[in-house]
mmCIF file of all heavy atoms in Angstrom:
data_model
loop_
_atom_site.group_PDB
_atom_site.id
_atom_site.type_symbol
_atom_site.label_atom_id
_atom_site.label_comp_id
_atom_site.label_asym_id
_atom_site.label_seq_id
_atom_site.Cartn_x
_atom_site.Cartn_y
_atom_site.Cartn_z
ATOM 1 N N ARG D 17 18.574 0.594 7.768
ATOM 2 C CA ARG D 17 18.374 -0.823 7.495
ATOM 3 C C ARG D 17 19.260 -1.294 6.334
ATOM 4 O O ARG D 17 19.730 -2.433 6.333
ATOM 5 C CB ARG D 17 16.902 -1.103 7.192
ATOM 6 C CG ARG D 17 15.983 -0.812 8.374
ATOM 7 C CD ARG D 17 14.595 -1.377 8.152
ATOM 8 N NE ARG D 17 14.641 -2.830 8.017
ATOM 9 C CZ ARG D 17 14.765 -3.681 9.033
ATOM 10 N NH1 ARG D 17 14.861 -3.219 10.281
ATOM 11 N NH2 ARG D 17 14.795 -4.978 8.819
ATOM 12 N N LEU D 18 19.519 -0.420 5.371
ATOM 13 C CA LEU D 18 20.427 -0.787 4.285
ATOM 14 C C LEU D 18 21.841 -0.990 4.812
ATOM 15 O O LEU D 18 22.523 -1.950 4.437
ATOM 16 C CB LEU D 18 20.430 0.291 3.200
ATOM 17 C CG LEU D 18 21.385 0.035 2.036
ATOM 18 C CD1 LEU D 18 21.018 -1.245 1.289
ATOM 19 C CD2 LEU D 18 21.409 1.216 1.072
ATOM 20 N N GLN D 19 22.298 -0.109 5.679
ATOM 21 C CA GLN D 19 23.645 -0.254 6.237
ATOM 22 C C GLN D 19 23.767 -1.562 7.018
ATOM 23 O O GLN D 19 24.772 -2.271 6.909
ATOM 24 C CB GLN D 19 23.954 0.937 7.149
ATOM 25 C CG GLN D 19 25.370 0.929 7.714
ATOM 26 C CD GLN D 19 26.435 1.125 6.658
ATOM 27 O OE1 GLN D 19 26.509 2.162 6.024
ATOM 28 N NE2 GLN D 19 27.258 0.097 6.453
ATOM 29 N N LYS D 20 22.755 -1.890 7.792
ATOM 30 C CA LYS D 20 22.763 -3.138 8.555
ATOM 31 C C LYS D 20 22.825 -4.343 7.621
ATOM 32 O O LYS D 20 23.604 -5.282 7.847
ATOM 33 C CB LYS D 20 21.511 -3.221 9.432
ATOM 34 C CG LYS D 20 21.385 -4.529 10.207
ATOM 35 C CD LYS D 20 20.084 -4.572 11.000
ATOM 36 C CE LYS D 20 19.920 -5.918 11.701
ATOM 37 N NZ LYS D 20 18.624 -5.996 12.448
ATOM 38 N N ALA D 21 22.033 -4.332 6.559
ATOM 39 C CA ALA D 21 22.024 -5.444 5.605
ATOM 40 C C ALA D 21 23.372 -5.591 4.910
ATOM 41 O O ALA D 21 23.839 -6.703 4.655
ATOM 42 C CB ALA D 21 20.920 -5.240 4.573
ATOM 43 N N ALA D 22 24.001 -4.451 4.597
ATOM 44 C CA ALA D 22 25.319 -4.487 3.962
ATOM 45 C C ALA D 22 26.369 -5.035 4.925
ATOM 46 O O ALA D 22 27.219 -5.849 4.539
ATOM 47 C CB ALA D 22 25.705 -3.090 3.497
ATOM 48 N N ASP D 23 26.311 -4.600 6.173
ATOM 49 C CA ASP D 23 27.273 -5.076 7.180
ATOM 50 C C ASP D 23 27.158 -6.584 7.384
ATOM 51 O O ASP D 23 28.168 -7.273 7.599
ATOM 52 C CB ASP D 23 27.050 -4.364 8.514
ATOM 53 C CG ASP D 23 27.398 -2.884 8.470
ATOM 54 O OD1 ASP D 23 28.121 -2.481 7.532
ATOM 55 O OD2 ASP D 23 26.938 -2.138 9.353
ATOM 56 N N MET D 24 25.947 -7.107 7.305
ATOM 57 C CA MET D 24 25.707 -8.537 7.517
ATOM 58 C C MET D 24 25.818 -9.340 6.218
ATOM 59 O O MET D 24 25.658 -10.561 6.240
ATOM 60 C CB MET D 24 24.322 -8.743 8.130
ATOM 61 C CG MET D 24 24.158 -8.145 9.517
ATOM 62 S SD MET D 24 22.499 -8.451 10.207
ATOM 63 C CE MET D 24 22.553 -10.245 10.419
ATOM 64 N N LYS D 25 26.086 -8.634 5.100
ATOM 65 C CA LYS D 25 26.204 -9.279 3.790
ATOM 66 C C LYS D 25 24.952 -10.095 3.453
ATOM 67 O O LYS D 25 25.023 -11.260 3.058
ATOM 68 C CB LYS D 25 27.459 -10.153 3.726
ATOM 69 C CG LYS D 25 28.751 -9.368 3.831
ATOM 70 C CD LYS D 25 29.971 -10.261 3.748
ATOM 71 C CE LYS D 25 31.257 -9.459 3.614
ATOM 72 N NZ LYS D 25 31.449 -8.473 4.691
ATOM 73 N N LEU D 26 23.788 -9.438 3.568
ATOM 74 C CA LEU D 26 22.519 -10.093 3.290
ATOM 75 C C LEU D 26 22.102 -9.962 1.838
ATOM 76 O O LEU D 26 21.436 -10.854 1.291
ATOM 77 C CB LEU D 26 21.412 -9.493 4.175
ATOM 78 C CG LEU D 26 21.647 -9.494 5.678
ATOM 79 C CD1 LEU D 26 20.470 -8.828 6.389
ATOM 80 C CD2 LEU D 26 21.854 -10.913 6.195
ATOM 81 N N ILE D 27 22.439 -8.842 1.193
ATOM 82 C CA ILE D 27 21.984 -8.540 -0.166
ATOM 83 C C ILE D 27 23.097 -7.840 -0.930
ATOM 84 O O ILE D 27 24.075 -7.372 -0.337
ATOM 85 C CB ILE D 27 20.740 -7.627 -0.152
ATOM 86 C CG1 ILE D 27 21.060 -6.320 0.603
ATOM 87 C CG2 ILE D 27 19.538 -8.333 0.460
ATOM 88 C CD1 ILE D 27 20.025 -5.248 0.466
ATOM 89 N N ASN D 28 22.933 -7.750 -2.242
ATOM 90 C CA ASN D 28 23.840 -6.915 -3.039
ATOM 91 C C ASN D 28 23.074 -5.913 -3.902
ATOM 92 O O ASN D 28 23.663 -5.191 -4.688
ATOM 93 C CB ASN D 28 24.749 -7.778 -3.927
ATOM 94 C CG ASN D 28 23.975 -8.661 -4.891
ATOM 95 O OD1 ASN D 28 22.785 -8.458 -5.131
ATOM 96 N ND2 ASN D 28 24.642 -9.658 -5.438
ATOM 97 N N SER D 29 21.736 -5.895 -3.724
ATOM 98 C CA SER D 29 20.883 -4.992 -4.506
ATOM 99 C C SER D 29 19.702 -4.568 -3.633
ATOM 100 O O SER D 29 19.271 -5.319 -2.749
ATOM 101 C CB SER D 29 20.356 -5.684 -5.771
ATOM 102 O OG SER D 29 21.424 -6.231 -6.531
ATOM 103 N N VAL D 30 19.175 -3.368 -3.924
ATOM 104 C CA VAL D 30 18.084 -2.855 -3.102
ATOM 105 C C VAL D 30 17.013 -2.221 -3.978
ATOM 106 O O VAL D 30 17.313 -1.565 -4.977
ATOM 107 C CB VAL D 30 18.603 -1.834 -2.063
ATOM 108 C CG1 VAL D 30 19.220 -0.614 -2.741
ATOM 109 C CG2 VAL D 30 17.507 -1.414 -1.093
ATOM 110 N N LEU D 31 15.752 -2.465 -3.604
ATOM 111 C CA LEU D 31 14.627 -1.817 -4.273
ATOM 112 C C LEU D 31 14.339 -0.498 -3.566
ATOM 113 O O LEU D 31 14.334 -0.430 -2.334
ATOM 114 C CB LEU D 31 13.391 -2.710 -4.200
ATOM 115 C CG LEU D 31 12.485 -2.736 -5.427
ATOM 116 C CD1 LEU D 31 13.211 -3.404 -6.582
ATOM 117 C CD2 LEU D 31 11.189 -3.480 -5.133
ATOM 118 N N LEU D 32 14.129 0.556 -4.350
ATOM 119 C CA LEU D 32 13.818 1.869 -3.787
ATOM 120 C C LEU D 32 12.423 2.290 -4.221
ATOM 121 O O LEU D 32 12.132 2.383 -5.404
ATOM 122 C CB LEU D 32 14.851 2.908 -4.236
ATOM 123 C CG LEU D 32 16.283 2.668 -3.775
ATOM 124 C CD1 LEU D 32 17.201 3.788 -4.266
ATOM 125 C CD2 LEU D 32 16.378 2.544 -2.266
ATOM 126 N N LYS D 33 11.564 2.550 -3.232
ATOM 127 C CA LYS D 33 10.183 2.972 -3.467
ATOM 128 C C LYS D 33 9.950 4.252 -2.677
ATOM 129 O O LYS D 33 10.041 4.242 -1.441
ATOM 130 C CB LYS D 33 9.204 1.887 -3.010
ATOM 131 C CG LYS D 33 9.329 0.564 -3.744
ATOM 132 C CD LYS D 33 8.423 -0.483 -3.112
ATOM 133 C CE LYS D 33 8.460 -1.793 -3.890
ATOM 134 N NZ LYS D 33 7.646 -2.847 -3.226
ATOM 135 N N PRO D 34 9.635 5.347 -3.349
ATOM 136 C CA PRO D 34 9.513 6.633 -2.646
ATOM 137 C C PRO D 34 8.585 6.620 -1.454
ATOM 138 O O PRO D 34 8.893 7.200 -0.405
ATOM 139 C CB PRO D 34 9.002 7.578 -3.741
ATOM 140 C CG PRO D 34 9.568 7.003 -5.009
ATOM 141 C CD PRO D 34 9.514 5.516 -4.816
ATOM 142 N N ASN D 35 7.451 5.926 -1.544
ATOM 143 C CA ASN D 35 6.496 6.021 -0.440
ATOM 144 C C ASN D 35 6.927 5.235 0.793
ATOM 145 O O ASN D 35 6.347 5.370 1.867
ATOM 146 C CB ASN D 35 5.100 5.565 -0.886
ATOM 147 C CG ASN D 35 4.890 4.081 -0.736
ATOM 148 O OD1 ASN D 35 5.655 3.274 -1.277
ATOM 149 N ND2 ASN D 35 3.856 3.703 -0.009
ATOM 150 N N GLN D 36 7.965 4.419 0.668
ATOM 151 C CA GLN D 36 8.423 3.663 1.830
ATOM 152 C C GLN D 36 9.136 4.535 2.853
ATOM 153 O O GLN D 36 9.210 4.176 4.028
ATOM 154 C CB GLN D 36 9.373 2.543 1.391
ATOM 155 C CG GLN D 36 8.691 1.372 0.714
ATOM 156 C CD GLN D 36 9.662 0.280 0.332
ATOM 157 O OE1 GLN D 36 10.832 0.532 0.042
ATOM 158 N NE2 GLN D 36 9.185 -0.947 0.340
ATOM 159 N N ILE D 37 9.657 5.682 2.432
ATOM 160 C CA ILE D 37 10.442 6.503 3.334
ATOM 161 C C ILE D 37 9.837 7.877 3.575
ATOM 162 O O ILE D 37 9.974 8.452 4.645
ATOM 163 C CB ILE D 37 11.917 6.627 2.842
ATOM 164 C CG1 ILE D 37 12.807 7.242 3.905
ATOM 165 C CG2 ILE D 37 11.987 7.386 1.533
ATOM 166 C CD1 ILE D 37 12.941 6.418 5.157
ATOM 167 N N GLY D 38 9.174 8.476 2.582
ATOM 168 C CA GLY D 38 8.390 9.676 2.844
ATOM 169 C C GLY D 38 8.883 10.987 2.274
ATOM 170 O O GLY D 38 8.084 11.871 2.014
ATOM 171 N N THR D 39 10.198 11.157 2.070
ATOM 172 C CA THR D 39 10.686 12.396 1.446
ATOM 173 C C THR D 39 11.754 12.064 0.413
ATOM 174 O O THR D 39 12.454 11.056 0.523
ATOM 175 C CB THR D 39 11.288 13.382 2.474
ATOM 176 O OG1 THR D 39 12.522 12.859 2.990
ATOM 177 C CG2 THR D 39 10.323 13.675 3.610
ATOM 178 N N ILE D 40 11.880 12.942 -0.560
ATOM 179 C CA ILE D 40 12.840 12.726 -1.637
ATOM 180 C C ILE D 40 14.278 12.846 -1.129
ATOM 181 O O ILE D 40 15.164 12.097 -1.555
ATOM 182 C CB ILE D 40 12.584 13.715 -2.793
ATOM 183 C CG1 ILE D 40 11.174 13.482 -3.361
ATOM 184 C CG2 ILE D 40 13.628 13.560 -3.878
ATOM 185 C CD1 ILE D 40 10.879 12.063 -3.784
ATOM 186 N N SER D 41 14.531 13.760 -0.217
ATOM 187 C CA SER D 41 15.890 13.915 0.315
ATOM 188 C C SER D 41 16.368 12.641 0.999
ATOM 189 O O SER D 41 17.520 12.216 0.829
ATOM 190 C CB SER D 41 15.955 15.085 1.299
ATOM 191 O OG SER D 41 15.728 16.301 0.644
ATOM 192 N N GLU D 42 15.492 12.004 1.769
ATOM 193 C CA GLU D 42 15.863 10.746 2.421
ATOM 194 C C GLU D 42 16.111 9.655 1.392
ATOM 195 O O GLU D 42 17.011 8.818 1.552
ATOM 196 C CB GLU D 42 14.773 10.318 3.388
ATOM 197 C CG GLU D 42 14.656 11.184 4.628
ATOM 198 C CD GLU D 42 13.431 10.833 5.448
ATOM 199 O OE1 GLU D 42 12.311 11.146 4.988
ATOM 200 O OE2 GLU D 42 13.603 10.253 6.533
#
């Protein structure tokens, strides 16, 4: 979803919350 937002020039900053994705590696 970040890549899609960047391609569409929707944002220039992103919030990162560990529980939104589930693992630290991701």
Side-chain angles (χ1 to χ4, degrees):
R17 296 192 62 78
L18 178 62
Q19 184 67 64
K20 177 183 176 182
D23 292 342
M24 296 181 67
K25 295 181 170 56
L26 305 178
I27 58 169
N28 59 16
S29 306
V30 62
L31 218 68
L32 297 181
K33 298 174 176 176
N35 88 304
Q36 286 181 330
I37 191 64
T39 69
I40 299 306
S41 294
E42 290 172 289

